[in-house]
mmCIF file of all heavy atoms in Angstrom:
data_model
loop_
_atom_site.group_PDB
_atom_site.id
_atom_site.type_symbol
_atom_site.label_atom_id
_atom_site.label_comp_id
_atom_site.label_asym_id
_atom_site.label_seq_id
_atom_site.Cartn_x
_atom_site.Cartn_y
_atom_site.Cartn_z
ATOM 1 N N ALA A 11 -15.128 -2.158 75.898
ATOM 2 C CA ALA A 11 -15.431 -3.541 75.555
ATOM 3 C C ALA A 11 -15.602 -3.610 74.047
ATOM 4 O O ALA A 11 -16.089 -2.668 73.419
ATOM 5 C CB ALA A 11 -16.708 -3.984 76.255
ATOM 6 N N ALA A 12 -15.186 -4.697 73.483
ATOM 7 C CA ALA A 12 -15.272 -4.844 72.031
ATOM 8 C C ALA A 12 -16.725 -4.966 71.603
ATOM 9 O O ALA A 12 -17.530 -5.616 72.264
ATOM 10 C CB ALA A 12 -14.501 -6.078 71.603
ATOM 11 N N LEU A 13 -17.025 -4.316 70.496
ATOM 12 C CA LEU A 13 -18.354 -4.436 69.915
ATOM 13 C C LEU A 13 -18.417 -5.729 69.112
ATOM 14 O O LEU A 13 -17.390 -6.257 68.690
ATOM 15 C CB LEU A 13 -18.644 -3.246 69.000
ATOM 16 C CG LEU A 13 -18.812 -1.903 69.698
ATOM 17 C CD1 LEU A 13 -18.915 -0.787 68.672
ATOM 18 C CD2 LEU A 13 -20.029 -1.898 70.593
ATOM 19 N N PRO A 14 -19.620 -6.244 68.875
ATOM 20 C CA PRO A 14 -19.738 -7.461 68.090
ATOM 21 C C PRO A 14 -19.181 -7.276 66.676
ATOM 22 O O PRO A 14 -18.987 -6.152 66.219
ATOM 23 C CB PRO A 14 -21.246 -7.714 68.032
ATOM 24 C CG PRO A 14 -21.854 -6.844 69.050
ATOM 25 C CD PRO A 14 -20.894 -5.732 69.321
ATOM 26 N N GLU A 15 -18.948 -8.379 65.998
ATOM 27 C CA GLU A 15 -18.445 -8.362 64.624
ATOM 28 C C GLU A 15 -19.305 -7.450 63.762
ATOM 29 O O GLU A 15 -20.521 -7.406 63.900
ATOM 30 C CB GLU A 15 -18.465 -9.789 64.052
ATOM 31 C CG GLU A 15 -17.726 -9.952 62.759
ATOM 32 C CD GLU A 15 -16.233 -9.689 62.895
ATOM 33 O OE1 GLU A 15 -15.665 -10.010 63.950
ATOM 34 O OE2 GLU A 15 -15.650 -9.153 61.955
ATOM 35 N N GLY A 16 -18.688 -6.718 62.860
ATOM 36 C CA GLY A 16 -19.426 -5.822 61.969
ATOM 37 C C GLY A 16 -19.752 -4.488 62.605
ATOM 38 O O GLY A 16 -20.682 -3.820 62.204
ATOM 39 N N HIS A 17 -18.990 -4.092 63.626
ATOM 40 C CA HIS A 17 -19.269 -2.841 64.322
ATOM 41 C C HIS A 17 -19.135 -1.646 63.380
ATOM 42 O O HIS A 17 -18.438 -1.694 62.390
ATOM 43 C CB HIS A 17 -18.354 -2.688 65.536
ATOM 44 C CG HIS A 17 -16.908 -2.598 65.187
ATOM 45 N ND1 HIS A 17 -16.151 -3.708 64.928
ATOM 46 C CD2 HIS A 17 -16.095 -1.536 65.034
ATOM 47 C CE1 HIS A 17 -14.927 -3.329 64.643
ATOM 48 N NE2 HIS A 17 -14.863 -2.020 64.700
ATOM 49 N N SER A 18 -19.813 -0.601 63.730
ATOM 50 C CA SER A 18 -19.788 0.605 62.910
ATOM 51 C C SER A 18 -18.940 1.680 63.578
ATOM 52 O O SER A 18 -18.747 1.682 64.794
ATOM 53 C CB SER A 18 -21.212 1.136 62.710
ATOM 54 O OG SER A 18 -21.720 1.653 63.922
ATOM 55 N N ALA A 19 -18.437 2.590 62.762
ATOM 56 C CA ALA A 19 -17.647 3.709 63.286
ATOM 57 C C ALA A 19 -18.503 4.558 64.219
ATOM 58 O O ALA A 19 -18.013 5.064 65.233
ATOM 59 C CB ALA A 19 -17.100 4.549 62.135
ATOM 60 N N LEU A 20 -19.771 4.705 63.906
ATOM 61 C CA LEU A 20 -20.693 5.492 64.732
ATOM 62 C C LEU A 20 -20.813 4.888 66.133
ATOM 63 O O LEU A 20 -20.717 5.600 67.132
ATOM 64 C CB LEU A 20 -22.069 5.557 64.062
ATOM 65 C CG LEU A 20 -23.097 6.435 64.750
ATOM 66 C CD1 LEU A 20 -22.750 7.903 64.516
ATOM 67 C CD2 LEU A 20 -24.474 6.124 64.234
ATOM 68 N N ALA A 21 -20.983 3.578 66.191
ATOM 69 C CA ALA A 21 -21.099 2.918 67.493
ATOM 70 C C ALA A 21 -19.787 3.014 68.261
ATOM 71 O O ALA A 21 -19.793 3.161 69.486
ATOM 72 C CB ALA A 21 -21.515 1.458 67.306
ATOM 73 N N GLU A 22 -18.668 2.947 67.561
ATOM 74 C CA GLU A 22 -17.368 3.100 68.229
ATOM 75 C C GLU A 22 -17.218 4.496 68.825
ATOM 76 O O GLU A 22 -16.731 4.657 69.940
ATOM 77 C CB GLU A 22 -16.228 2.840 67.249
ATOM 78 C CG GLU A 22 -15.955 1.381 67.014
ATOM 79 C CD GLU A 22 -14.719 1.159 66.166
ATOM 80 O OE1 GLU A 22 -13.957 2.115 65.896
ATOM 81 O OE2 GLU A 22 -14.513 0.013 65.771
ATOM 82 N N GLN A 23 -17.637 5.515 68.083
ATOM 83 C CA GLN A 23 -17.558 6.886 68.591
ATOM 84 C C GLN A 23 -18.452 7.049 69.811
ATOM 85 O O GLN A 23 -18.055 7.670 70.800
ATOM 86 C CB GLN A 23 -17.967 7.882 67.505
ATOM 87 C CG GLN A 23 -16.983 7.989 66.372
ATOM 88 C CD GLN A 23 -17.533 8.837 65.235
ATOM 89 O OE1 GLN A 23 -18.725 9.139 65.163
ATOM 90 N NE2 GLN A 23 -16.655 9.228 64.324
ATOM 91 N N ALA A 24 -19.651 6.515 69.734
ATOM 92 C CA ALA A 24 -20.575 6.605 70.869
ATOM 93 C C ALA A 24 -19.983 5.867 72.066
ATOM 94 O O ALA A 24 -20.009 6.378 73.190
ATOM 95 C CB ALA A 24 -21.935 6.022 70.495
ATOM 96 N N GLY A 25 -19.444 4.674 71.824
ATOM 97 C CA GLY A 25 -18.838 3.903 72.910
ATOM 98 C C GLY A 25 -17.708 4.658 73.583
ATOM 99 O O GLY A 25 -17.577 4.633 74.802
ATOM 100 N N ALA A 26 -16.899 5.354 72.786
ATOM 101 C CA ALA A 26 -15.805 6.150 73.347
ATOM 102 C C ALA A 26 -16.351 7.283 74.215
ATOM 103 O O ALA A 26 -15.812 7.577 75.288
ATOM 104 C CB ALA A 26 -14.923 6.696 72.235
ATOM 105 N N ALA A 27 -17.432 7.906 73.770
ATOM 106 C CA ALA A 27 -18.050 8.972 74.564
ATOM 107 C C ALA A 27 -18.633 8.407 75.861
ATOM 108 O O ALA A 27 -18.536 9.042 76.922
ATOM 109 C CB ALA A 27 -19.137 9.671 73.747
ATOM 110 N N PHE A 28 -19.211 7.214 75.782
ATOM 111 C CA PHE A 28 -19.753 6.578 76.988
ATOM 112 C C PHE A 28 -18.635 6.300 77.987
ATOM 113 O O PHE A 28 -18.783 6.536 79.187
ATOM 114 C CB PHE A 28 -20.454 5.255 76.646
ATOM 115 C CG PHE A 28 -21.639 5.369 75.726
ATOM 116 C CD1 PHE A 28 -22.043 4.283 74.979
ATOM 117 C CD2 PHE A 28 -22.351 6.554 75.597
ATOM 118 C CE1 PHE A 28 -23.135 4.349 74.136
ATOM 119 C CE2 PHE A 28 -23.446 6.646 74.749
ATOM 120 C CZ PHE A 28 -23.841 5.539 74.017
ATOM 121 N N VAL A 29 -17.512 5.799 77.497
ATOM 122 C CA VAL A 29 -16.370 5.477 78.363
ATOM 123 C C VAL A 29 -15.849 6.740 79.047
ATOM 124 O O VAL A 29 -15.527 6.724 80.235
ATOM 125 C CB VAL A 29 -15.259 4.756 77.572
ATOM 126 C CG1 VAL A 29 -13.963 4.689 78.366
ATOM 127 C CG2 VAL A 29 -15.708 3.355 77.195
ATOM 128 N N GLU A 30 -15.795 7.838 78.316
ATOM 129 C CA GLU A 30 -15.355 9.100 78.919
ATOM 130 C C GLU A 30 -16.275 9.505 80.060
ATOM 131 O O GLU A 30 -15.817 9.981 81.109
ATOM 132 C CB GLU A 30 -15.313 10.206 77.867
ATOM 133 C CG GLU A 30 -14.147 10.100 76.910
ATOM 134 C CD GLU A 30 -14.144 11.216 75.877
ATOM 135 O OE1 GLU A 30 -14.710 12.293 76.149
ATOM 136 O OE2 GLU A 30 -13.575 11.001 74.800
ATOM 137 N N SER A 31 -17.573 9.311 79.877
ATOM 138 C CA SER A 31 -18.529 9.664 80.919
ATOM 139 C C SER A 31 -18.374 8.754 82.141
ATOM 140 O O SER A 31 -18.421 9.218 83.281
ATOM 141 C CB SER A 31 -19.957 9.575 80.369
ATOM 142 O OG SER A 31 -20.869 10.061 81.317
ATOM 143 N N ILE A 32 -18.146 7.467 81.900
ATOM 144 C CA ILE A 32 -17.940 6.533 83.004
ATOM 145 C C ILE A 32 -16.657 6.876 83.751
ATOM 146 O O ILE A 32 -16.622 6.871 84.988
ATOM 147 C CB ILE A 32 -17.915 5.079 82.485
ATOM 148 C CG1 ILE A 32 -19.296 4.693 81.938
ATOM 149 C CG2 ILE A 32 -17.481 4.112 83.581
ATOM 150 C CD1 ILE A 32 -19.305 3.399 81.141
ATOM 151 N N ASP A 33 -15.605 7.200 83.025
ATOM 152 C CA ASP A 33 -14.352 7.603 83.660
ATOM 153 C C ASP A 33 -14.538 8.859 84.506
ATOM 154 O O ASP A 33 -13.999 8.955 85.619
ATOM 155 C CB ASP A 33 -13.260 7.849 82.617
ATOM 156 C CG ASP A 33 -12.699 6.563 82.034
ATOM 157 O OD1 ASP A 33 -12.914 5.487 82.617
ATOM 158 O OD2 ASP A 33 -12.037 6.647 80.983
ATOM 159 N N ALA A 34 -15.291 9.816 83.987
ATOM 160 C CA ALA A 34 -15.549 11.051 84.737
ATOM 161 C C ALA A 34 -16.312 10.741 86.025
ATOM 162 O O ALA A 34 -16.029 11.328 87.079
ATOM 163 C CB ALA A 34 -16.325 12.040 83.874
ATOM 164 N N PHE A 35 -17.258 9.806 85.952
ATOM 165 C CA PHE A 35 -17.972 9.392 87.156
ATOM 166 C C PHE A 35 -16.990 8.802 88.170
ATOM 167 O O PHE A 35 -17.026 9.143 89.356
ATOM 168 C CB PHE A 35 -19.059 8.364 86.838
ATOM 169 C CG PHE A 35 -19.607 7.690 88.066
ATOM 170 C CD1 PHE A 35 -20.485 8.364 88.903
ATOM 171 C CD2 PHE A 35 -19.223 6.406 88.405
ATOM 172 C CE1 PHE A 35 -20.963 7.760 90.065
ATOM 173 C CE2 PHE A 35 -19.695 5.797 89.552
ATOM 174 C CZ PHE A 35 -20.576 6.472 90.382
#
Protein backbone atom coordinates (compact mmCIF):
# COMPACT_ATOMS: atom_id res chain seq x y z
CA ALA A 1 0.00 0.00 0.00
CA ALA A 2 1.27 3.46 -0.76
CA LEU A 3 2.69 5.43 2.11
CA PRO A 4 1.43 8.96 2.70
CA GLU A 5 3.07 11.90 0.92
CA GLY A 6 6.63 12.55 2.08
CA HIS A 7 7.41 8.89 2.73
CA SER A 8 10.91 7.94 3.74
CA ALA A 9 13.21 5.32 2.27
CA LEU A 10 13.41 3.72 5.73
CA ALA A 11 9.64 3.29 5.93
CA GLU A 12 9.61 1.87 2.39
CA GLN A 13 12.25 -0.70 3.33
CA ALA A 14 10.34 -1.66 6.46
CA GLY A 15 7.11 -1.90 4.46
CA ALA A 16 8.79 -4.22 1.96
CA ALA A 17 9.99 -6.44 4.81
CA PHE A 18 6.47 -6.47 6.27
CA VAL A 19 5.02 -7.51 2.90
CA GLU A 20 7.52 -10.37 2.65
CA SER A 21 6.41 -11.61 6.06
CA ILE A 22 2.73 -11.39 5.11
CA ASP A 23 3.42 -13.26 1.88
CA ALA A 24 5.27 -15.97 3.80
CA PHE A 25 2.26 -16.31 6.11
